[in-house]
Amino acid sequence: MRRARSRAWVRGPASLGAKLVLILTVVGVAGALGITLLLAGVITPSFSALETKAIDGHVERTRAALGEYAAKVENAVRDYGDWTQSYDYMGAPSTAQSAAFERDSFSPLAMTNLGVQGMAYVRPDGRIQIARWLDAATGRERADLRAAMVRLATRTDLARIVGAGNSGHVYARLGSTVAAVGVAQVRRSDGTGSPRGYVLMARQITSRQISELLQLDARIDLAATGDHARVVPGRNTMGIAVPIPGADGHAVAAARFHIVRDVSLLGRRMLLLAVAGSTLLLLIVLVVLRRVIARLVLGPLQRVERHMQRVRASGAMALFDDDGRRDEFGSLGRSLNAMLSQLKDLREQIEAQSFALGRSESAVAVMHNVRNALNPISTILSQGIAQAPPIDRATVERALAELGRDDLAPGRRAKLAAFVAAALAAEVQGRETMRGELQVGREAMAHVLEIIGQQQQQAHERPTLEVCDLSAIVARNAAIARYSDAASIAFSFPAGAHHALANRVILSQVIGNLLGNAAEAIAASGRDSGSIGVTIHENGASVVVHIRDDGEGFDAATGATLFQRGFSTRAHKSGGLGLHWCANAMNAMDGSLRLESEGRGRGAVAVLTLRGAQPDTIAQAA
């Protein structure tokens, strides 16, 4: 059952309506997929490009915010650099005036007003003049950050930061703190005099401050590496990390934040909306097409099909009801009516011819089977007539006369007595042999009478099926086939009973025909002897009989025409009704017949398939 379903699936639906529905469904699915791919190829790249531009905008805005934050520190440190008091302080750091400068300029109030947490003055030789870092929360100096700022001032090329101008800015990593550092040369307020060192100011940047600058929920990521902005896409949000460059150009940290993928979400929604709309439109078109096709195509076809089924069921060549359509289906109805009219006329002619032909074919088939059944009788009679007596009667009479003499010698008398006894035994054996042959002839004659007796019933109705013992039918026909004019044949067949549903007389004729054909095939091979083997296999609801011979066989081209009416492989015979009748007889008994051969000269096998008999049916027949 599963294999049958798989074959049906491979072949597709049988009805035209189902095929049209399948085709429309395939077209709809293919169209929806095509539209989806087209829209995806147009919408998705466009929104991806927009999203890329939005990401680039966020990166540039972050860099601009970081640059502006550091620029404010640079502006503050430039005021201290271009200041005559700073210039004098660097020239004479040990005076009372310098002590007052340090007290006023590096006080917590002054640093708070400047908005910085760290300050330092560096001499031209790299020595620290003064350095201080105040905690913005407590106002106390933090030694660890002060030391980190000192290391930055002493290990960094401040001249490269300042460049061609007199000030510059960088970001630096001071312990666990990231700060914007402004650097300026120490000069007079009017910009004259040789620079006497550098002044540094550091403003700490925190996650809260970067969030306020970007108006986003951002944070400072100290573990970030890489000198380029990194984007980590998610389903609904996008993670962006913008590096914060240090004095050497490498990132000291990164500003990390997440943005909602509004553009991408909008693109997906537009894609889904477009796909849904196009799919819905396709479905509407397919439904309308299906209804139109059902009304204009399938409906008229079903009317024609229903009319043909009524014609087939009733056998009456009723004309199709023409609805007056002028399209192809109207033309089809008119052509169908013309064809039905012609078929009605032809059927009347064929019925008249079939009656005469049926009587002729029935008579020829009966005579063919009667001839096959009479052949063994003719052979037995011919052998009986031509058979010489086992001993000469005159010789026996002389021996009996000599035994009646009184003067016969005892030795001679014993020999004559033995001769007469042997003659009597030979006579008895000959009579028994003749009786057996006559018994076979009587069975063959009974077979002929059965064929003739059932001919009328077979001519008008299907044969009645009954429980038949296949082994007995094969054995009976094998005994008759031994008396054919063919070569000496050895038969083998099963001894046990095998039952099937068939008509006993017709099945006996079929098996007799097949055995006779096998014997002729052995004789046609040019050998003086051969063998015919019969096997019977019961397979549930069916019984299969194999009749195998080692005769001349046949090739594939001949096998295709063996069952054609009038075809015969024997040049000395005419008619060709044997196998044709056998095949029709097997079909009439709900069975089948086929012939197989591996090629000419390699024998053949006839395969008969019959319905198996149920155990209860066999018991009733017994």
Side-chain angles (χ1 to χ4, degrees), residues 296-297 300-301 304 320 322-336:
L296 298 180
V297 179
L301 285 179
V304 174
F320 181 69
D322 188 7
D323 56 359
R325 295 181 59 163
R326 298 301 176 185
D327 55 7
E328 289 80 359
F329 287 103
S331 177
L332 175 63
R334 292 187 290 272
S335 299
L336 177 62

Side-chain angles (χ1 to χ4, degrees), residues 17 28 76 91 101 210 286 323 346 416 420 449 546 584:
F101 177 81
I210 195 68
L286 291 177
D323 56 359
L346 290 174
L416 290 175
V420 172
L449 295 176
H546 291 80
N584 290 336

Side-chain angles (χ1 to χ4, degrees), residues 221-230 241 243 251-254 256:
D221 187 2
L222 300 178
T225 58
D227 300 330
H228 300 283
R230 296 184 59 186
V252 297
R256 187 178 297 275

Side-chain angles (χ1 to χ4, degrees), residues 7-8 17 47 55 68 74 86 112 116 150 170 339 344 426-427 430 460 500 502 527 566 571-572 601 606 616:
R7 291 199 189 103
F47 279 89
I55 292 172
E68 182 180 358
E74 181 182 354
S86 293
T112 301
V116 298
V150 170
V170 294
M339 182 187 67
K344 184 178 180 181
E427 182 69 21
H460 297 284
R527 304 197 312 271
H572 64 282
D616 54 349

